[in-house]
Amino acid sequence: MHKVLVGQSGGPTAAINATLAGVIRGAQDAGLELCGMRYGIEGYLAGKSLDLTHALEQPVENALLRATPASWLGSCRFKLPDPTSTAPANKNFYEHAFTRFAEDKIDAVLYLGGNDSMDTIAKLSRWGAANGSPIRFVGVPKTIDNDLVGTDHTPGYGSAAKFVATSVAELALDASVYDLKSVLVVEIMGRDAGWLTASAALAGAAGSRGADLILLPEVALDLDALIGRVQALLEQQNTVVIALSEGVRDASGTLFAEKSSETGTTRDQFGHLAAYSGAGRWLSATLKERLGVKSRAVELSTLQRCASHLASQRDLEESFALGQRGVTCALEGATGVMCAVERQSSAPYSATFTQVDVQTVANLVKCVPDAWIASDGMGVSQEFMDYAAPLIEGEAPNLFVAGVPAHAQPVELA
Amino acid sequence: MHKVLVGQSGGPTAAINATLAGVIRGAQDAGLELCGMRYGIEGYLAGKSLDLTHALEQPVENALLRATPASWLGSCRFKLPDPTSTAPANKNFYEHAFTRFAEDKIDAVLYLGGNDSMDTIAKLSRWGAANGSPIRFVGVPKTIDNDLVGTDHTPGYGSAAKFVATSVAELALDASVYDLKSVLVVEIMGRDAGWLTASAALAGAAGSRGADLILLPEVALDLDALIGRVQALLEQQNTVVIALSEGVRDASGTLFAEKSSETGTTRDQFGHLAAYSGAGRWLSATLKERLGVKSRAVELSTLQRCASHLASQRDLEESFALGQRGVTCALEGATGVMCAVERQSSAPYSATFTQVDVQTVANLVKCVPDAWIASDGMGVSQEFMDYAAPLIEGEAPNLFVAGVPAHAQPVELA
């Protein structure tokens, strides 16, 4: 094996560049050539790539990439056609792709991303296997949503969870300064799985105020029950803090985000609603009207996925190591796999790295298990806390220059 | 002088507790008794106070308070009546207040806050002077808006500006990952003055992407000119980042926030619009419609005023020192004054502390000077950068426990 192609795909995170830094280091250590896809598989197939063989060879450059949010190589949201179909368009697509790989003398493709990216690896490896290609296809997970099966958790989740927990602790103090009854609704990302919203429970880990109620997409929300619960809490305390997933639905399956008049219903190629935000403002306005109290919604928005200045050290270390692991997997001849984390113990935390068949991962969603959700559906259990707490541990080093974090310089096309 | 009364008022910040920590330390060093107002002057006059004489005597407790956001003592938004009026209600109010001060044997009142809080100090000192009271009234400034006259800058501004600059740098990377034309609008607090929005210009200080356009409330926004400018930028680059003040108005003086259907027009006691947010979503939707590009609005919301985990070390040091200075001022017999910062030099930064007549401060707004705004009204000058850069320097120490910042324990009423 001589040459690896690497790409980043899907939504940005605070940790996906740490994984890329691990791939770069792994390839350099193994003396491999490394080619980068600009803007994921979509950009690569349109001719956009760059030589990374000698990129960031200085340790400080590699460290700076680890501390840089978003996707250094650029990203895409591009759904590959069905590789098992005999339709000419599908066949043409894969023939073009494998011709491009051959032209670039690619021996292995590493793709860093979430659910949709594992779908890409699953499809490329399926086509490759069916057509006798020797190219190895390896996925390396990344998603703040933590919703991939086959791995204990996903890189990017711990850093986003640390930002959520810290912000909820700070916002709860901010919301409690006046001597009046009020509600704070913090809207957190996670369309189908509530892992990130659940991490608001960690806000209280150091003795600060946390979230009083945690509303996950796994639980159909009974608005009247919620209002009753908020009212009861307001009889005991001035301020009620609610951590609300953007993906919360009512019993009929309707998203609260869709109840908000501002939210469009455009869907992307993967069938996902393009804009989810608005659930927090809708709930805040509803509570204000129904309970006659001050209410404010704060949307953590894209801040929660790019706050590298507050990244979890454990997350960045694991993300880097999984990038190195991806190179090792390919060197060992694995294909059609996703690198994964297997937890050995939570206290003290220990984990090993492994790989799983990517066909068993793609397009599935891992939700927060029922047993980890409070019986009233408005909180999480100690089991969740024990699971999530180690993932936000440690503060990643930042290089501050002139008072702001320094980032890796923008990538240039070759 | 034996006993000091201290209160916090107005909106929370990441630095006002550092000032309180400075007052506590100053009073302890001088052997003074210290009483705290719970929920500002409003709570105090309703009988809510606590003894702070021996509060947080351990250095680590005092340090923890410096790193805790919001207002540890609680806050209020309460406008005092006119002390020069002979109306019975006004007279009764002040007689009640000064009776309370006398009952508690108060020799000096320190009030930490922004414009409206300096109005409180101005009125109390005016009544006191007219009625022969020996009580000293001293204001200590605090506002993320940086809009107080009489001081080079205000405590709380540097930390909020550091959060804004860091977040804009991270969000700009996040917004640039896809190979398509897009606009990011970051909505930043500041109702009448653009100091905090202008700090987005510091995002690029360490070589990262910053904001392309900065829109301040000081400049009437010409929407067509802005659209033309964004269009021209999109011909050269994929992503345009706009830092937008929540207080931006058009040429007729109408707030862009008011153009948004969601925003109410309720006004508070000081005549301020209660809810300003929405300008960013309105502008984002307008640019999407007019230019046919992807557009997203991110509202930094209350996060920008309570992100203690990213506080400016210089800001916290100055905030603490100004709290100590407030005690010294009172000990020296000053009354009707606001403690202030006088800058000696920007590079290297040096400043001294002083005090100014609070009557010359109250109810005035210091705006970003014309000379510091770019000629097209969509950016800031080097003079602004030289002014603001030293204020975000240094990273304040945080005590992280279990992955989240530890905060001072909630205050208990005596």
Side-chain angles (χ1 to χ4, degrees):
Chain A
M1 193 172 105
H2 298 291
K3 190 167 179 183
V4 173
L5 175 66
V6 63
Q8 296 173 307
S9 178
T13 73
I16 191 171
N17 284 334
T19 300
L20 178 63
V23 171
I24 291 173
R25 177 70 60 79
Q28 286 169 348
D29 287 350
L32 298 169
E33 286 180 68
L34 184 64
C35 176
M37 303 177 180
R38 186 82 171 106
Y39 301 116
I41 187 74
E42 189 176 22
Y44 175 73
L45 294 179
K48 294 176 182 172
S49 64
L50 65 162
D51 184 11
L52 294 174
T53 309
H54 299 289
L56 314 180
E57 283 183 321
Q58 295 297 323
V60 67
E61 293 174 326
N62 193 291
L64 213 49
L65 181 59
R66 292 201 291 276
T68 300
S71 303
W72 191 60
L73 293 175
S75 184
C76 67
R77 289 197 179 276
F78 179 74
K79 191 179 176 70
L80 267 59
D82 180 357
T84 65
S85 159
T86 54
N90 295 31
K91 196 159 168 269
N92 287 345
F93 173 86
Y94 286 98
E95 283 175 353
H96 170 60
F98 279 76
T99 302
R100 283 283 291 120
F101 297 151
E103 283 167 359
D104 283 343
K105 302 189 169 56
I106 301 301
D107 299 305
V109 177
L110 301 190
Y111 211 47
L112 324 183
N115 250 312
D116 300 332
S117 310
M118 295 309 126
D119 177 71
T120 296
I121 282 293
K123 285 172 170 166
L124 287 171
S125 63
R126 179 163 286 186
W127 173 276
N131 292 273
S133 167
I135 300 174
R136 299 140 198 199
F137 296 94
V138 176
V140 187
K142 164 276 346 173
T143 166
I144 62 166
D145 294 331
N146 197 40
D147 61 351
L148 283 176
V149 302
T151 184
D152 177 75
H153 59 273
T154 57
Y157 172 63
S159 294
K162 189 182 184 81
F163 180 83
V164 167
T166 298
S167 296
V168 167
E170 293 175 339
L171 289 168
L173 288 172
D174 180 280
S176 309
V177 299
Y178 299 115
D179 192 14
L180 48 81
K181 299 294 175 183
S182 70
V183 175
L184 171 70
V185 180
V186 184
E187 183 182 318
I188 299 164
M189 283 181 166
R191 294 173 170 195
D192 302 304
W195 297 103
L196 193 55
T197 302
S199 69
L202 301 171
S208 283
R209 274 209 58 171
D212 297 296
L213 302 172
I214 294 177
L215 306 176
L216 309 178
E218 284 83 354
V219 182
L221 179 62
D222 177 340
L223 189 60
D224 289 324
L226 172 67
I227 289 171
R229 188 70 193 283
V230 172
Q231 198 158 25
L233 282 167
L234 285 173
E235 281 165 22
Q236 300 156 29
Q237 61 198 56
N238 262 350
T239 309
V240 173
V241 178
I242 301 174
L244 172 77
S245 166
E246 63 179 355
V248 162
R249 292 165 172 81
D250 65 18
S252 76
T254 305
L255 282 162
F256 281 83
E258 287 183 293
K259 294 178 191 268
S260 163
S261 59
E262 328 147 33
T263 308
T265 50
T266 319
R267 287 179 189 270
D268 70 11
Q269 287 185 68
F270 293 92
H272 308 317
L273 198 67
Y276 261 59
S277 79
R281 287 193 295 281
W282 184 87
L283 183 60
S284 170
T286 302
L287 292 172
K288 182 178 180 175
E289 190 191 316
R290 293 277 295 268
L291 295 171
V293 295
K294 182 183 172 187
S295 186
R296 182 196 285 269
V298 174
E299 194 183 329
L300 296 188
S301 189
T302 48
L303 289 161
Q304 68 201 290
R305 72 180 186 202
C306 67
S308 283
H309 74 271
L310 190 60
S312 151
Q313 174 67 356
R314 173 154 289 139
D315 185 27
L316 291 200
E317 280 173 5
E318 289 190 338
S319 299
F320 183 82
L322 274 171
Q324 294 178 299
R325 173 82 185 186
V327 176
T328 311
C329 268
L331 277 170
E332 290 170 354
T335 186
V337 297
M338 179 184 81
C339 299
V341 184
E342 205 170 279
R343 184 184 304 224
Q344 306 304 320
S345 158
S346 287
Y349 177 81
S350 74
T352 55
F353 300 126
T354 178
Q355 61 252 23
V356 294
D357 181 351
V358 75
Q359 309 289 344
T360 65
V361 171
N363 302 309
L364 296 174
V365 172
K366 183 171 76 177
C367 288
V368 179
D370 282 352
W372 291 9
I373 300 174
S375 55
D376 67 356
M378 300 187 201
V380 294
S381 71
Q382 187 59 44
E383 287 92 332
F384 171 81
M385 303 289 279
D386 295 341
Y387 165 82
L391 308 181
I392 69 166
E393 276 174 1
E395 290 65 57
N398 283 278
L399 176 62
F400 278 82
V401 175
V404 290
H407 296 139
Q409 289 300 302
V411 69
E412 300 287 344
L413 284 181
Chain B
M1 192 173 105
H2 299 289
K3 190 166 180 185
V4 173
L5 174 67
V6 63
Q8 296 174 308
S9 177
T13 73
I16 191 171
N17 284 334
T19 301
L20 178 62
V23 171
I24 291 174
R25 177 69 60 79
Q28 285 169 349
D29 287 350
L32 297 169
E33 285 181 67
L34 184 64
C35 176
M37 301 178 181
R38 187 81 171 106
Y39 302 117
I41 187 75
E42 189 177 22
Y44 175 74
L45 294 180
K48 294 176 182 170
S49 64
L50 66 163
D51 183 11
L52 294 174
T53 308
H54 300 288
L56 314 181
E57 284 185 320
Q58 295 296 325
V60 68
E61 294 174 325
N62 192 291
L64 213 49
L65 180 60
R66 292 202 290 274
T68 299
S71 303
W72 192 61
L73 293 175
S75 183
C76 68
R77 289 197 178 277
F78 180 76
K79 192 179 175 70
L80 269 58
D82 181 356
T84 65
S85 158
T86 54
N90 295 31
K91 198 162 167 262
N92 288 345
F93 173 86
Y94 286 98
E95 282 176 354
H96 170 60
F98 280 76
T99 301
R100 283 285 290 120
F101 297 150
E103 283 167 359
D104 284 343
K105 300 189 171 55
I106 301 301
D107 299 306
V109 177
L110 301 190
Y111 211 47
L112 325 182
N115 249 310
D116 300 333
S117 310
M118 295 310 125
D119 176 70
T120 297
I121 284 293
K123 285 172 171 166
L124 287 172
S125 62
R126 181 163 288 186
W127 172 277
N131 292 273
S133 166
I135 300 175
R136 298 140 197 199
F137 295 95
V138 175
V140 186
K142 165 276 344 176
T143 167
I144 62 167
D145 295 331
N146 197 39
D147 61 350
L148 283 176
V149 302
T151 183
D152 177 75
H153 57 276
T154 58
Y157 172 62
S159 293
K162 188 181 185 82
F163 180 83
V164 167
T166 297
S167 296
V168 167
E170 293 175 338
L171 289 168
L173 288 171
D174 180 281
S176 308
V177 299
Y178 298 115
D179 192 13
L180 49 80
K181 300 293 176 185
S182 71
V183 176
L184 171 70
V185 180
V186 184
E187 183 183 318
I188 298 164
M189 283 181 167
R191 296 173 167 193
D192 302 303
W195 296 103
L196 192 54
T197 303
S199 69
L202 301 171
S208 283
R209 275 209 58 175
D212 296 298
L213 302 171
I214 294 176
L215 307 177
L216 308 178
E218 284 83 354
V219 182
L221 179 62
D222 177 339
L223 188 61
D224 289 324
L226 172 66
I227 289 170
R229 187 70 192 283
V230 172
Q231 198 158 27
L233 282 167
L234 284 173
E235 281 166 21
Q236 300 156 28
Q237 63 198 54
N238 263 349
T239 309
V240 173
V241 179
I242 302 175
L244 172 76
S245 167
E246 62 177 357
V248 162
R249 292 165 172 82
D250 66 16
S252 76
T254 305
L255 282 163
F256 281 84
E258 287 184 294
K259 293 177 192 269
S260 163
S261 59
E262 329 147 33
T263 308
T265 49
T266 319
R267 287 178 190 270
D268 70 11
Q269 289 185 67
F270 292 94
H272 308 318
L273 198 66
Y276 261 60
S277 79
R281 288 193 294 280
W282 184 87
L283 182 60
S284 171
T286 301
L287 291 172
K288 183 178 179 174
E289 191 191 315
R290 293 277 297 268
L291 295 171
V293 295
K294 182 182 171 190
S295 186
R296 182 196 285 271
V298 174
E299 194 182 330
L300 297 187
S301 189
T302 48
L303 289 160
Q304 67 201 289
R305 73 181 184 198
C306 67
S308 283
H309 74 270
L310 191 59
S312 151
Q313 174 65 356
R314 173 153 289 139
D315 184 27
L316 291 201
E317 281 173 5
E318 288 190 337
S319 299
F320 183 82
L322 274 171
Q324 294 178 298
R325 173 81 184 187
V327 176
T328 311
C329 268
L331 277 170
E332 291 170 352
T335 186
V337 297
M338 178 184 83
C339 298
V341 184
E342 204 170 282
R343 186 183 302 226
Q344 306 303 320
S345 157
S346 287
Y349 177 81
S350 73
T352 53
F353 299 127
T354 177
Q355 61 251 25
V356 294
D357 181 350
V358 75
Q359 310 288 344
T360 65
V361 171
N363 302 307
L364 296 174
V365 172
K366 183 171 77 176
C367 288
V368 179
D370 282 354
W372 290 9
I373 300 173
S375 54
D376 67 358
M378 299 186 200
V380 293
S381 71
Q382 187 59 45
E383 287 92 333
F384 171 81
M385 304 288 279
D386 296 341
Y387 165 82
L391 308 181
I392 69 166
E393 276 175 0
E395 290 66 57
N398 283 280
L399 177 61
F400 278 82
V401 176
V404 290
H407 296 138
Q409 289 301 302
V411 71
E412 301 287 342
L413 284 181

